[in-house]
Amino acid sequence: MRKFLQSFDFILFFCVIALVTFGILFIYSSGINSEGVNVSSEYMKQIIWGGSGILIMLVISLLDYRKITRYVPQIFVVSCAVLLFTKFFGRYVNGARSWLGIGPFGIQPSEFTKVIFILFLAWYLDRTKKTQDQRKRFLVSLMIMFLPMGLILAQPDLGTSLVYFPILLCMTFIAGIPVRYILFIFTGGMLTILFTVLPIWESQIAHHSVVFIRVLTNSKLRLILIFATGSVGVLSLLGMFFYRHNKYFYWISYGAAILCGSLILSYFAGKVLKDYQVMRLIVFIDPYADPRGAGWNIIQSKTAIGSGNLLGRGYLRGTQSHYRFLPEQSTDFIFSILSEELGFVGCMTVFALYFLIFMRTIFIIKNAANTFGMMIAAGVLGMFAFHFLINVGMVMGIMPITGIPLLFLSYGGSSLWTAMMCVGLLMSVSSRKFGF
C-alpha cells in the first residue's frame, strides 16, 4: 500500500474529481426551471455514475496494464462484433442506432470501444516497432482505425467516429511514424472538409457564384481536376522509379495524392451528408442563416457565455438554461451553463484543470516504462484533447456542432466511465515507472 500511495498520481486524481464535481453541480443547475424548481433527476444519476466511475478508475490503476497485452486482440474483435450487433439491434437515440440496454438502463458501446482501440493500436505499434517498416506500420494502423470507425459511421454516429482520428495521429506520432505520413492524413482531412463546405457556403450563404469554387460545384470540372492531379501523381511516381535520388518527384506525387484524394472524398461527403448535417455546416459559417432553426443552438450558447462576464451571474442564477433556451444543456452545452453562472473566472478554472491533466499525461508519456504504456498515454491524450477542443469550440461557435460531450462534465454514464477508465490506465502506466 505504501508503494501504491508513493506512486499514486494525486494531481491527476484531484483534477478529475474537481471536474466531475463541476459536472454534477451544473447538471443539477440545468434541471432547474424558471420557477426555481428542479424538474430533472439527471444529477442523481450522474452522482451514481461518478461514484462508480471513481471506483472503476481506482481498480484499473491497481492493475498492471502490461499483463493485459495477451488479451487485447481478442477484446478488440469482441468490441467490433458488439458494434456490428448494435448497428442492427441497438436502440435509436438522437437519430443513431448506437445504444444497447434493457429497460431504462443503456450503454453506448462506441464510447468503450475508444478505450479498446487505444489498447489494441498500442499493442500493435509496440509489437512492430523493430520488425516492420514505417510505411507498413502506418497503413496497418489506418486499417485498424477504419474498422471500428466504419462500424460507428454506419450507425450513423459521425461525432463519435471523428474521435478516432486524433487518437491515431497522436499514437503514430509518438510511435515514431514519419511526420510526412501523419501530415498526409491530416492535410487530406482538412482539405476534404474545406472542399465539402465551400459549395455549401456558395449556395446557402454567399448566394452568388465564385469562380474558383465552380470547380467543386461543376461535376465535369471536378472530374477533369481529379484526372489531372491523378495523372500528375502517376507521372511523378514513374519519375521516382527512374530517378531514385530525385526528391522533387516524391513531393510532387505527395501533394497530388492529397489534392486528388480530397477532391474525391469531398464529392462523396457532399452526397452522403444528411440535411441536418448540412445545416450544421451552414450555421457554423453563419448562425443567422437559420436563427430560429439550426442556428438557434449556437446563438443561445454564445449569448449564455457572453452574459457571464467576469464572475458570472451566480450559481443557479443563469437565465438561458433555466428558461430552456439552451438545447441539450446537460450534455453538449454544459459548458455554456458553467460560463453563464461562473463567468470568465469559472471558465479559466476548468481550463486550468484540463491543462493540468494534459500536462500530467505528457509527463506520463515521457516517463513510461515501455512503449506499450507510452502508446496508451498518447492515445488518451489525443482523445481528451479532441473532446475538450471540439466541445468548447462548438459552444463558442468556432467549431461545427458535432455532438461531442465535454468529458467529466457532460451528463452521461458511458462517456464518464470511458473517461474514468482512461484515467485509470494513465495511473497504471504512471505508477509502473517506479516498479510498483
Side-chain angles (χ1 to χ4, degrees):
M1 180 59 70
R2 178 179 294 180
K3 287 184 178 180
F4 173 72
L5 292 175
Q6 287 176 345
S7 61
F8 189 77
D9 199 325
F10 286 100
I11 295 177
L12 190 58
F13 178 76
F14 286 120
C15 286
V16 169
I17 295 300
L19 287 173
V20 172
T21 302
F22 269 118
I24 293 170
L25 289 173
F26 287 97
I27 290 169
Y28 176 81
S29 179
S30 72
I32 303 295
N33 63 16
S34 58
E35 298 175 355
V37 179
N38 184 14
V39 295
S40 173
S41 62
E42 288 182 343
Y43 76 98
M44 291 298 298
K45 296 178 182 178
Q46 193 75 357
I47 290 173
I48 295 171
W49 289 328
S52 56
I54 292 171
L55 181 62
I56 292 171
M57 176 181 67
L58 293 175
V59 169
I60 292 177
S61 70
L62 286 169
L63 300 176
D64 190 342
Y65 71 95
R66 296 168 293 189
K67 294 182 179 179
I68 64 173
T69 53
R70 70 185 73 175
Y71 308 111
V72 166
Q74 295 89 330
I75 296 172
F76 181 74
V77 171
V78 171
S79 69
C80 290
V82 172
L83 288 177
L84 186 62
F85 179 85
T86 306
K87 161 62 182 171
F88 293 104
F89 303 104
R91 293 178 181 173
Y92 269 116
V93 178
N94 295 329
R97 195 185 289 274
S98 57
W99 290 78
L100 292 176
I102 301 173
F105 179 77
I107 62 169
Q108 192 173 4
S110 56
E111 288 290 337
F112 300 107
T113 304
K114 290 185 286 191
V115 184
I116 299 170
F117 168 68
I118 290 172
L119 291 173
F120 184 64
L121 186 57
W123 172 84
Y124 169 75
L125 291 172
D126 180 39
R127 281 173 56 90
T128 59
K129 60 185 177 183
K130 295 181 180 178
T131 60
Q132 292 183 4
D133 67 87
Q134 301 291 22
R135 184 182 304 172
K136 183 177 180 181
R137 291 179 80 205
F138 187 64
L139 290 174
V140 174
S141 297
L142 280 174
M143 289 188 285
I144 291 172
M145 179 192 71
F146 283 130
L147 180 57
M149 186 178 175
L151 291 171
I152 294 169
L153 278 171
Q155 292 177 353
D157 187 352
L158 177 63
T160 302
S161 67
L162 292 176
V163 182
Y164 287 77
F165 269 111
I167 292 174
L168 173 84
L169 296 179
C170 279
M171 294 181 71
T172 50
F173 176 75
I174 297 298
I177 301 292
V179 175
R180 63 181 182 273
Y181 296 149
I182 299 170
L183 284 178
F184 183 89
I185 299 299
F186 179 79
T187 308
M190 292 297 101
L191 285 178
T192 299
I193 294 171
L194 179 64
F195 293 160
T196 304
V197 169
L198 283 177
I200 297 172
W201 173 83
E202 182 190 62
S203 62
Q204 301 293 332
I205 307 297
H207 298 296
H208 63 83
S209 179
V210 180
V211 175
F212 71 91
I213 299 180
R214 196 173 300 164
V215 175
L216 303 174
T217 56
N218 187 303
S219 298
K220 290 184 179 179
L221 290 177
R222 184 194 286 262
L223 187 62
I224 291 171
L225 186 57
I226 289 173
F227 179 77
T229 52
S231 299
V232 169
V234 172
L235 291 174
S236 299
L237 288 174
L238 291 174
M240 286 174 57
F241 180 77
F242 290 107
Y243 303 95
R244 295 182 182 276
H245 298 291
N246 195 325
K247 293 184 178 180
Y248 292 109
F249 288 113
Y250 175 85
W251 290 111
I252 291 171
S253 63
Y254 182 90
I258 291 175
L259 186 57
C260 183
S262 300
L263 288 167
I264 294 171
L265 290 174
S266 63
Y267 172 79
F268 287 108
K271 295 295 183 182
V272 301
L273 282 177
K274 300 183 183 298
D275 291 340
Y276 75 90
Q277 292 171 326
V278 172
M279 286 307 301
R280 285 180 174 181
L281 291 174
I282 293 171
V283 299
F284 162 63
I285 301 169
D286 180 13
Y288 291 94
D290 186 16
R292 294 187 177 275
W296 177 266
N297 297 2
I298 295 177
I299 293 170
Q300 298 305 319
S301 176
K302 291 168 73 173
T303 301
I305 294 172
S307 65
N309 295 315
L310 180 63
L311 299 176
R313 293 178 176 271
Y315 182 58
L316 302 181
R317 294 183 179 179
T319 56
Q320 294 298 105
S321 61
H322 296 171
Y323 283 92
R324 294 296 183 267
F325 291 128
L326 281 173
E328 307 292 338
Q329 54 191 25
S330 65
T331 52
D332 298 347
F333 290 88
I334 191 73
F335 188 76
S336 304
I337 303 176
L338 185 147
S339 301
E340 183 181 25
E341 297 186 3
L342 296 188
F344 180 78
V345 172
C347 293
M348 288 299 102
T349 302
V350 171
F351 286 1
L353 291 170
Y354 272 104
F355 179 76
L356 284 173
I357 290 175
F358 296 154
M359 290 298 101
R360 292 302 297 175
T361 306
I362 292 172
F363 176 82
I364 292 169
I365 293 172
K366 294 176 64 176
N367 294 277
N370 53 46
T371 305
F372 183 57
M374 184 169 62
M375 293 298 101
I376 291 173
V380 173
L381 178 63
M383 174 182 156
F384 283 2
F386 183 79
H387 271 269
F388 174 75
L389 293 173
I390 295 298
N391 182 273
V392 173
M394 176 184 74
V395 301
M396 290 181 176
I398 58 176
M399 290 285 184
I401 295 175
T402 56
I404 297 289
L406 185 57
L407 294 179
F408 306 112
L409 276 82
S410 292
Y411 170 75
S414 295
S415 62
L416 182 58
W417 280 359
T418 299
M420 292 297 205
M421 291 167 67
C422 287
V423 175
L425 286 170
L426 288 177
M427 291 181 172
S428 179
V429 173
S430 178
S431 63
R432 268 68 195 179
K433 75 177 184 293
F434 296 111
F436 172 70

